[in-house]
Amino acid sequence: MRKLSSVLIAILLVAGLVSIQAQERIAQDIHWKIRQEGTSNSQIMRTVHVLTDVYGPRLTGSPNLKAAGEWALQQMAAWGLQNGHLEPWDFGHPGWRNERLSAHIVSPVQDALVTEALAWTPGTNGPVRAAAIQLTLPQRPTQDDLTAYFEQTKDAVKDRMVLAGPPQQVLVTFNPPALRRDDRDVLTQFDPAAVPPAAPAGGPQGPQGQNQQQGPQRRVLTANQADDQLNQFLLANGARVRINDAGRDHGQIRAFSNRNYDVTKIVPTVVMRNEDYGRIWRLLDGGRAVELEFDIVNHTYPEGRTNYNTIAEIPGSDKADEVVMLGGHLDSWHAATGATDNAIGCAVMMEAARILSAIGVKPRRTIRVALWSGEEQGVLGSQAYVREHFGTFEDAKPEFAKFAGYFNIDNGTGRPRGMTVFGPPAAAAILREAIAPLKDLGVLGATTTRSRQRANSDHTSFNWAGLPGITVGQDPIQYQSYTWHTNLDTYERIVEEDVVKSAIVVAAAVYHLAMRDEALPLFPKDQMPQAPRPPQNQGNQAPPAGP
Ligand SMILES: [Zn+2]
């Protein structure tokens, strides 16, 4: 074959007609055994059951999370994994757990209300009953606006149940979000060269008319700043309970946390389903007095300052000092039992390791499972682990050079559709070929990212360091629409057929990286993207992090 000119290659690459070939040798016999073990003897639903029904919710720093990690260690040891241990890291805040919560409207009607406590807020010290009041907070206020509003409102909140802002209008959804991605869409993302030609598509989509006009002079507070000041105001002026509108349909509640993790800095606070919140607001609007009663029992756990990542291994052989990792975050939010976020990610990775152990593979590199904590507070556990073990590309520890990839699952229950790796195109080409025999399970390709931003899940702690973190893209099912961070995130939302496929795909991909002669390639020195600068002000931002 004649050599193509580089210009022609460039044109073909742009046109998506050729892709980088890695020519991986695939262990077909092992693939067959992985499929057999993963479908015939799957333990995955039992693992999810224990992590959710027995130990959920698994909020960072809570006794539940620690117990879940200890159980996972025992279970993985029973499956033949070795070197199991909990690795501590310093969270710096106490743990917290809601143990009881009842909420009722007692006048002018009697009914139960659906609420969740905000994490790291205090309880009520027994049942409290008080009149409800509405706060109609200024929209996008400046400091002056907010101060003036507080001044005129301060006498009204004492001993009151405070509804913080009008209810959101949640419109009926006429076009429900898709449960699965179609193959063309997946291929376009993960293997553009394989997209079959199609009828000409519509033109590029223009921006969706976002005309946010900002006044030139107004220094508007951020939503978090205004919210923190409202908390201080309610505490200083003796409010009994703060009530937030969940603002979602069908009774969904997303309850996050008090951003400063200090129960002495905030009044008891709940998030109420939009339907109950709206009802109370409308009753008050109609001039009826409303009385509410809450009984909230929350506990803090000083020992939660030390958190743990859960680690276990299948030891390698001739390259035992090199490591391929797989993991997900074991911690969850507290409004439900954290099934799709992310007991299932942990269960898939535990199951992938169980499959490899059960079929008796002797990997060349060590295969290491990691179940992280502190992900929801900003990928804290994996960040601590990566710093401790690997350092960064710019400040590498000896283990940095022995690292051969980290697989992460944290996108719900959907089957895998593709993988995104931090690294050069050759890294994606290797993965693409490694999983090519699994196309029938729905996984269609692999692509790369150059971002070192620590963001939405634990693979980004590896990317941040310059190491090849690999995130598994999945069918959405009901993740963003129903289960992610909500009170509906339970065992029932796991699709067994999909998660069995995930474990098979991950087991095959991990095995491949553990066996090939060379480790998964990193960016060469002259192409390594720059490490992101640390954020400008690191206040008490406890973002509702990652998927
Ligand atoms: Zn998550």
Side-chain angles (χ1 to χ4, degrees):
M1 194 175 126
R2 286 187 311 163
K3 276 190 178 170
L4 297 170
S5 81
S6 56
V7 173
L8 181 54
I9 289 175
I11 291 168
L12 291 174
L13 273 170
V14 168
L17 298 177
V18 298
S19 64
I20 293 172
Q21 296 292 315
Q23 293 176 335
E24 298 297 295
R25 275 191 314 241
I26 303 298
Q28 300 291 355
D29 54 330
I30 298 290
H31 270 224
W32 186 85
K33 287 182 184 170
I34 288 172
R35 283 178 188 252
Q36 189 72 14
E37 179 64 30
T39 47
S40 306
N41 300 321
S42 177
Q43 297 295 308
I44 201 162
M45 294 308 287
R46 181 178 163 271
T47 303
V48 181
H49 153 64
V50 175
L51 292 178
T52 57
D53 297 333
V54 180
Y55 295 112
R58 303 169 309 281
L59 191 67
T60 294
S62 69
N64 303 39
L65 177 60
K66 179 139 189 271
E70 286 163 350
W71 173 81
L73 281 183
Q74 281 176 15
Q75 186 57 71
M76 288 191 284
W79 291 336
L81 273 71
Q82 299 180 31
N83 306 331
H85 62 281
L86 297 179
E87 269 194 50
W89 59 276
D90 181 24
F91 178 42
H93 307 290
W96 178 94
R97 186 164 67 185
N98 169 248
E99 293 178 3
R100 186 174 289 254
L101 197 170
S102 71
H104 292 85
I105 180 169
V106 292
S107 174
V109 292
Q110 292 80 47
D111 207 348
L113 303 168
V114 179
T115 62
E116 296 286 344
L118 198 72
W120 286 282
T121 59
T124 52
N125 258 327
V128 291
R129 181 183 288 212
I133 63 153
Q134 304 162 304
L135 289 193
T136 303
L137 297 152
Q139 294 297 299
R140 305 182 68 242
T142 63
Q143 186 62 66
D144 288 347
D145 297 339
L146 199 58
T147 304
Y149 178 76
F150 286 157
E151 188 56 35
Q152 84 196 25
T153 320
K154 66 178 189 229
D155 296 330
V157 300
K158 184 167 172 50
D159 291 333
R160 292 289 183 263
M161 307 297 191
V162 178
L163 278 72
Q168 293 183 50
Q169 288 203 350
V170 184
L171 303 177
V172 171
T173 306
F174 287 97
N175 300 305
L179 300 179
R180 295 207 184 277
R181 298 179 63 181
D182 76 41
D183 286 358
R184 169 175 287 276
D185 173 44
V186 171
L187 280 173
T188 303
Q189 179 181 0
F190 292 107
D191 192 3
V195 179
Q205 292 178 335
Q208 301 279 325
Q210 286 187 345
N211 282 343
Q212 288 222 345
Q213 291 200 343
Q214 294 240 353
Q217 308 297 341
R218 283 166 50 87
R219 275 185 65 103
V220 171
L221 298 171
T222 67
N224 283 348
Q225 285 169 336
D227 190 60
D228 289 342
Q229 291 191 35
L230 177 59
N231 284 332
Q232 291 160 20
F233 167 76
L234 293 176
L235 184 67
N237 291 283
R240 284 292 180 86
V241 173
R242 173 176 170 171
I243 306 163
N244 295 332
D245 170 24
R248 300 184 63 78
D249 61 5
H250 305 309
Q252 281 183 48
I253 297 174
R254 287 182 179 163
F256 298 115
S257 64
N258 169 18
R259 276 178 292 277
N260 60 37
Y261 300 102
D262 185 344
V263 299
T264 67
K265 301 268 168 62
I266 192 167
V267 300
T269 302
V270 298
V271 185
M272 185 175 285
R273 70 169 176 164
N274 180 252
E275 296 85 345
D276 286 336
Y277 195 92
R279 180 185 187 183
I280 295 167
W281 193 274
R282 289 187 296 273
L283 288 169
L284 291 167
D285 269 352
R288 292 179 169 84
V290 174
E291 259 200 332
L292 305 177
E293 185 179 289
F294 286 93
D295 185 6
I296 307 170
V297 179
N298 295 331
H299 278 140
T300 51
Y301 296 87
E303 64 272 27
R305 288 177 172 276
T306 302
N307 263 262
Y308 300 91
N309 295 318
T310 303
I311 309 289
E313 295 180 340
I314 301 173
S317 50
D318 66 310
K319 291 177 181 290
D321 61 336
E322 297 184 26
V323 61
V324 177
M325 293 186 66
L326 64 163
H329 67 90
L330 191 56
D331 67 297
S332 73
W333 283 109
H334 57 290
T337 53
T340 67
D341 189 16
N342 189 19
I344 194 56
C346 295
V348 164
M349 296 322 202
M350 288 170 68
E351 174 73 2
R354 186 198 69 77
I355 291 169
L356 292 173
S357 180
I359 65 174
V361 297
K362 297 276 178 280
R364 301 181 66 189
R365 296 182 178 82
T366 295
I367 294 171
R368 183 183 298 160
V369 178
L371 312 179
W372 311 111
S373 54
E375 192 273 351
E376 297 293 7
Q377 285 68 40
V379 295
L380 301 178
S382 55
Q383 185 182 329
Y385 186 91
V386 169
R387 271 185 208 278
E388 172 82 18
H389 285 263
F390 306 111
T392 65
F393 177 77
E394 291 77 14
D395 185 14
K397 299 198 169 188
E399 287 178 71
F400 189 97
K402 304 287 186 181
F403 186 79
Y406 165 73
F407 291 88
N408 193 69
I409 290 236
D410 190 14
N411 288 302
T413 190
R415 66 185 170 154
R417 305 308 309 273
M419 295 180 180
T420 303
V421 57
F422 177 82
I430 290 164
L431 285 172
R432 193 177 296 139
E433 290 188 26
I435 55 180
L438 303 162
K439 280 205 164 84
D440 61 301
L441 303 183
V443 63
L444 299 185
T447 186
T448 60
T449 176
R450 295 179 55 82
S451 173
R452 291 180 68 178
Q453 232 25 277
R454 267 197 308 256
N456 52 17
S457 192
D458 295 293
H459 59 285
T460 65
S461 292
F462 291 84
N463 301 1
W464 165 81
L467 291 167
I470 302 158
T471 180
V472 179
Q474 298 165 245
D475 274 337
I477 313 294
Q478 300 167 319
Y479 195 53
Q480 297 293 337
S481 53
Y482 282 96
T483 64
W484 178 60
H485 296 168
T486 73
N487 57 331
L488 308 181
D489 189 8
T490 63
Y491 178 93
E492 287 74 11
R493 302 281 70 79
I494 301 299
V495 180
E496 180 173 8
E497 181 190 340
D498 280 44
V499 298
V500 163
K501 288 174 180 168
S502 292
I504 291 169
V505 167
V506 170
V510 165
Y511 179 75
H512 187 80
L513 293 196
M515 295 303 288
R516 64 195 303 279
D517 289 338
E518 303 295 327
L520 200 60
L522 309 183
F523 281 111
K525 189 166 186 193
D526 59 335
Q527 288 167 34
M528 177 62 74
Q530 271 204 338
R533 266 180 270 149
Q536 294 274 306
N537 56 45
Q538 293 177 303
N540 281 327
Q541 308 287 309

